[in-house]
Amino acid sequence: MVTSTTMDHDIYLFHQGNLRYAYQLLGAHMEQQNGQDGVRFTVWAPNAVKVNVVGTFNDWDGRQHPMEKLNENGLWSTFIPDLQKGTIYKYEILTPHGHLQLKADPYAFSSEIRPNTASVLHPLGHYEWNDQSWMNQRKETNLYESPISIYELHLGSWKNIEPEVFYTYREYADMVIPYVKELGYTHIELLPITEHPFDRSWGYQATGYYAVTSRYGTPDDFKYFVDQCHQNGLGVILDWVPGHFCKDQHGLRRFDGEPLYEYSDPMKAEKSQWGTLTFDFGRNEVQSFLMSNAIYWLKEYHLDGLRVDAVASMLYLSFGKEDGEWQPNEYGGSENLEAVSFIKKMNEAIFEEVPNVLMMAEESTSWPLVSAPTYVGGLGFNYKWNMGWMNDMLKYMEMDPIHRKYHHNLITFSLFYAFSENFVLPISHDEVVHGKKSLLNKMPGDYWQKFASLRAFLAYMYAHPGKKLLFMGSEFGQFDEWKDLEDLDWELLNFEAHASTKQYMSDLHKLYKDHPALWEMDHKEEGFEWVDPNNYEQSIVSFIRNSRADDQLVVICNFTPVVYHDYKVGVPTEGVYEEIFTSDAVQFGGSGQMNEMPLHTTSIPWQGQGQHVTMTIPPLGVSFLKRTSLLEEDKS
């Protein structure tokens, strides 16, 4: 409950842009006043002439429950007795232009099921969590030196009852969690589940920033989903969209009759390529709204991180615009200085309030120090999506192998900047939709070569420095690109190639998690060393991954369908090496060109290393070697 003393202080912080828990001040809250149970409604509408609370409880008659203006900065509030959980309501706002408009509560915790648009009264704090063990463990985890492999998930098209008829969060928990756990992922990342009016926006055009979408159930249902993930050892990340919002009449657009949450300057407000509006990052109350919203999801729903969408669209005034459609900042540049300042302030607040969470920026440009702390000039995120690696590798993998030797730099270039940020390697929903084809179907060649190339690509991805993210369906070789109104093609698992690909992902994750060399030093140069990056003629690269305990893996990747016998590979230490994993194993659908016998080093330098082994290189395959013992003659 907010007392009068704390309320005055919170109001001050709200208007200063520094209120980190604005959702406790604004919105609809069940509390007691003068010994009477009821609901306190508070809304920010500085341009409104009058604001009333309307709903089913008063037959939508605004005259019955007018709100009182608390201050000149536009906060309105009222207390209505005897309202119950589930009450449906909106704000009736008389604009300066004399129009009456109905608006959903920007701070509502729940909403009606589309196409209805009213807010629904739902108190926070009544759910009993059972994830204390996970939350305690999270405090002690070093995120940078831990394995992170993320399963990107769109609930409604992972599996549904029929198109646009969905299961509940609780039902999804019972289906999704065992599946993702069996595959070996460490985290689930959900496409936005904030309330949104249009299914096919996938949640990226929201109206209710504090409301978990009612498509799949209630706030408590979603808390159950997160709780069950944590009890099963899975973290949960939410795709979060502070860059823009949709223009639907019941939402934030011209909330009190004038631009309020959006910029008043159309050049800054309009995101024409998406048909949305940009938040006014320079307005203090909007900063409190967004900063509190990020903290809300992390605190109230125990989420383990946020993937922040379209950061580049926030950073640049010129994003997606032609000359003449934007104006430079006061220094003549294209940077949105207000957004830059807000992003830094937001990240500082988040890590003070909720330490050890993931703040991942989808930032598609070369903006420096995205994942560096603000005190060294960074934006304050702790991870950045590596869009450059993604674009280069997908371009490379789509080529016929015969042409790959002319574009060898696409494999190697990412290592020039791999340690400039804390990177996530993403193969997201954006890469398997709108005619881009599924990850499997991007691969050239015949049926066998497509699956072999997919396995090789995934093995290379998991061996490359950086945390991992893969969109649903790729784990079993979905042939069709993502169909957002249907569910995944689960029937494919009845076919051997797809079933073995799913098993491959499970085994690849086991390899990944069992070997610290593949994740412990992801963000340090000493965690990676080239053996041979230059063999473009055969489209083969080899490298070493290191751990802090000097536990090394040698990785050899062949991106052509040619088998090479008696191939020399430089290795760092003499001894006996074993092939501990190959993407070409028969059980995965491979050709079985394996190195089943131990590989003894020869003390002749090769490829910059002091010794080498001679091995078979599988077609369109990746091999992982590990030294398992000293040379036989050195054993005592």
Side-chain angles (χ1 to χ4, degrees):
M1 178 177 173
V2 178
T3 65
S4 58
T5 303
T6 58
M7 190 171 188
D8 289 342
H9 182 62
D10 286 352
I11 289 172
Y12 171 78
L13 292 176
F14 175 69
H15 293 305
Q16 291 294 310
N18 293 316
L19 185 57
R20 297 178 176 182
Y21 294 88
Y23 61 90
Q24 296 176 355
L25 171 68
L26 288 99
H29 296 273
M30 299 181 73
E31 58 185 51
Q32 202 176 71
Q33 289 191 16
N34 300 320
Q36 193 168 24
D37 292 330
V39 178
R40 173 179 55 82
F41 294 89
T42 308
V43 67
W44 176 56
N47 298 299
V49 176
K50 185 185 294 185
V51 184
N52 306 314
V53 184
V54 296
T56 51
F57 57 91
N58 63 10
D59 294 325
W60 302 93
D61 183 355
R63 295 170 297 180
Q64 294 189 37
H65 294 102
M67 302 185 79
E68 175 188 355
K69 194 171 186 179
L70 297 181
N71 59 21
E72 61 183 15
N73 292 316
L75 280 181
W76 300 74
S77 191
T78 192
F79 179 81
I80 303 177
D82 300 327
L83 296 185
Q84 302 299 317
K85 175 182 174 181
T87 296
I88 294 171
Y89 72 97
K90 278 188 177 182
Y91 295 117
E92 181 184 73
I93 298 174
L94 179 62
T95 74
H97 312 289
H99 301 133
L100 269 181
Q101 58 184 28
L102 292 177
K103 290 287 188 178
D105 186 350
Y107 289 84
F109 302 138
S110 185
S111 300
E112 286 188 293
I113 298 176
R114 70 194 189 325
N116 296 328
T117 59
S119 302
V120 177
L121 181 63
H122 189 99
L124 288 179
H126 288 189
Y127 181 84
E128 293 187 12
W129 290 91
N130 293 291
D131 65 346
Q132 198 55 50
S133 176
W134 170 272
M135 297 299 282
N136 289 336
Q137 176 188 333
R138 193 177 81 179
K139 294 176 184 176
E140 308 301 322
T141 300
N142 183 332
L143 295 170
Y144 308 103
E145 298 184 4
S146 298
I148 295 179
S149 179
I150 303 164
Y151 186 73
E152 190 189 31
L153 172 67
H154 178 254
L155 279 176
S157 59
W158 187 80
K159 189 174 286 187
N160 55 44
I161 299 169
E162 59 184 75
E164 301 183 84
V165 180
F166 309 115
Y167 294 99
T168 67
Y169 293 112
R170 292 175 184 266
E171 291 170 325
Y172 279 122
D174 293 341
M175 294 185 288
V176 169
I177 292 170
Y179 179 81
V180 176
K181 187 177 178 182
E182 177 194 0
L183 281 165
Y185 287 91
T186 64
H187 291 73
I188 290 172
E189 181 177 309
L190 296 167
L191 268 62
I193 49 89
T194 44
E195 195 58 81
H196 53 284
F198 183 46
D199 287 359
R200 304 204 73 181
S201 80
W202 313 331
Y204 289 96
Q205 297 188 13
T207 48
Y209 270 74
Y210 286 83
V212 60
T213 180
S214 54
R215 285 169 176 77
Y216 315 122
T218 69
D220 286 350
D221 292 336
F222 181 57
K223 288 179 180 179
Y224 174 87
F225 179 93
V226 177
D227 199 357
Q228 290 298 309
C229 283
H230 286 173
Q231 292 181 52
N232 283 277
L234 291 170
V236 184
I237 301 164
L238 176 64
D239 204 336
W240 185 59
V241 191
H244 60 118
F245 58 89
C246 67
K247 296 181 177 181
D248 288 53
Q249 186 57 41
H250 69 282
L252 300 178
R253 178 176 180 262
R254 290 187 170 268
F255 185 77
D256 57 5
E258 297 291 339
L260 189 64
Y261 287 88
E262 70 270 34
Y263 283 110
S264 57
D265 178 357
M267 279 194 172
K268 295 175 76 173
E270 291 288 340
K271 277 192 164 62
S272 55
Q273 68 182 114
W274 296 324
T276 55
L277 293 169
T278 306
F279 281 102
D280 184 346
F281 299 111
R283 192 154 195 168
N284 290 341
E285 293 85 355
V286 174
Q287 293 180 21
S288 289
F289 173 84
L290 288 172
M291 181 167 55
S292 295
N293 188 245
I295 292 170
Y296 164 81
W297 289 108
L298 296 168
K299 293 281 278 191
E300 300 296 336
Y301 288 92
H302 289 202
L303 294 180
D304 302 286
L306 300 175
R307 178 266 194 183
V308 184
D309 176 66
V311 172
S313 78
M314 301 167 68
L315 294 174
Y316 295 99
L317 298 166
S318 57
F319 182 88
K321 297 182 178 180
E322 303 293 334
D323 290 344
E325 295 179 343
W326 63 279
Q327 292 181 336
N329 63 35
E330 60 189 283
Y331 302 108
S334 63
E335 302 84 3
N336 186 334
L337 302 177
E338 297 165 340
V340 173
S341 177
F342 166 71
I343 288 170
K344 292 180 178 182
K345 181 165 79 169
M346 175 191 72
N347 282 325
E348 288 171 356
I350 286 170
F351 287 115
E352 287 175 11
E353 298 294 332
V354 203
N356 233 31
V357 293
L358 296 162
M359 287 297 293
M360 299 178 164
E362 185 220 11
E363 202 288 306
S364 54
T365 74
S366 57
W367 189 284
L369 302 177
V370 171
S371 60
T374 57
Y375 59 78
V376 298
L379 288 181
F381 295 97
N382 54 4
Y383 276 95
K384 174 182 174 174
W385 275 23
N386 193 337
M387 312 293 275
W389 171 87
M390 176 200 73
N391 289 323
D392 284 351
M393 281 309 300
L394 292 183
K395 181 179 179 181
Y396 181 82
M397 294 305 299
E398 287 186 85
M399 293 177 184
D400 188 303
I402 200 170
H403 300 305
R404 286 176 179 165
K405 66 180 180 180
Y406 303 110
H407 303 274
H408 193 72
N409 63 302
L410 292 174
I411 316 177
T412 59
F413 182 68
S414 61
L415 273 304
F416 283 105
Y417 62 87
F419 309 104
S420 62
E421 301 273 5
N422 301 325
F423 279 121
V424 174
L425 308 183
I427 300 297
S428 75
H429 63 281
D430 278 330
E431 309 316 314
V432 294
V433 74
H434 296 326
K436 295 181 182 179
K437 298 186 288 190
S438 71
L439 186 57
L440 174 66
N441 222 9
K442 291 178 190 290
M443 307 299 164
D446 59 24
Y447 188 79
W448 186 89
Q449 289 177 338
K450 283 181 178 292
F451 280 96
S453 291
L454 175 64
R455 293 192 303 272
F457 169 73
L458 291 170
Y460 167 80
M461 174 182 176
Y462 275 74
H464 189 289
K467 309 309 181 186
K468 326 299 176 187
L469 179 141
L470 193 66
F471 187 58
M472 64 182 196
S474 299
E475 75 278 3
F476 62 79
Q478 173 107 357
F479 253 119
D480 289 345
E481 68 176 22
W482 177 36
K483 304 180 288 288
D484 58 355
L485 292 181
E486 303 175 31
D487 54 11
L488 296 180
D489 294 331
W490 295 108
E491 65 277 5
L492 291 176
L493 287 171
N494 295 320
F495 297 91
E496 183 178 355
H498 297 275
S500 61
T501 299
K502 176 174 174 281
Q503 184 60 48
Y504 174 73
M505 279 305 304
S506 180
D507 288 7
L508 183 60
H509 273 127
K510 187 176 188 309
L511 171 81
Y512 172 65
K513 290 194 287 190
D514 284 351
H515 291 89
L518 295 177
W519 42 262
E520 191 176 47
M521 300 176 73
D522 266 331
H523 314 305
K524 297 184 180 297
E525 291 187 20
E526 55 266 37
F528 178 92
E529 179 185 350
W530 281 117
V531 173
D532 182 13
N534 300 317
N535 187 358
Y536 64 90
E537 283 288 352
Q538 295 172 305
S539 296
I540 295 175
V541 293
S542 51
F543 52 87
I544 299 166
R545 293 301 309 273
N546 295 314
S547 71
R548 291 196 180 281
D550 203 29
D551 179 26
Q552 298 172 315
L553 293 181
V554 180
V555 185
I556 307 98
C557 309
N558 176 15
F559 292 105
T560 71
V562 180
V563 183
Y564 296 99
H565 298 288
D566 300 322
Y567 187 95
K568 294 180 181 179
V569 177
V571 293
T573 312
E574 69 174 352
V576 179
Y577 284 75
E578 291 185 15
E579 185 177 68
I580 60 170
F581 188 89
T582 174
S583 67
D584 194 48
V586 173
Q587 67 264 32
F588 304 141
S591 65
Q593 295 292 326
M594 302 169 66
N595 296 274
E596 298 181 293
M597 300 299 292
L599 303 171
H600 293 252
T601 57
T602 300
S603 295
I604 298 175
W606 192 258
Q607 297 173 331
Q609 305 297 320
Q611 45 277 311
H612 68 270
V613 296
T614 302
M615 62 179 293
T616 295
I617 304 296
L620 295 171
V622 176
S623 299
F624 292 76
L625 306 182
K626 183 177 181 178
R627 195 186 77 154
T628 54
S629 66
L630 300 173
L631 288 171
E632 294 294 328
E633 57 266 29
D634 292 337
K635 289 184 177 181
S636 57

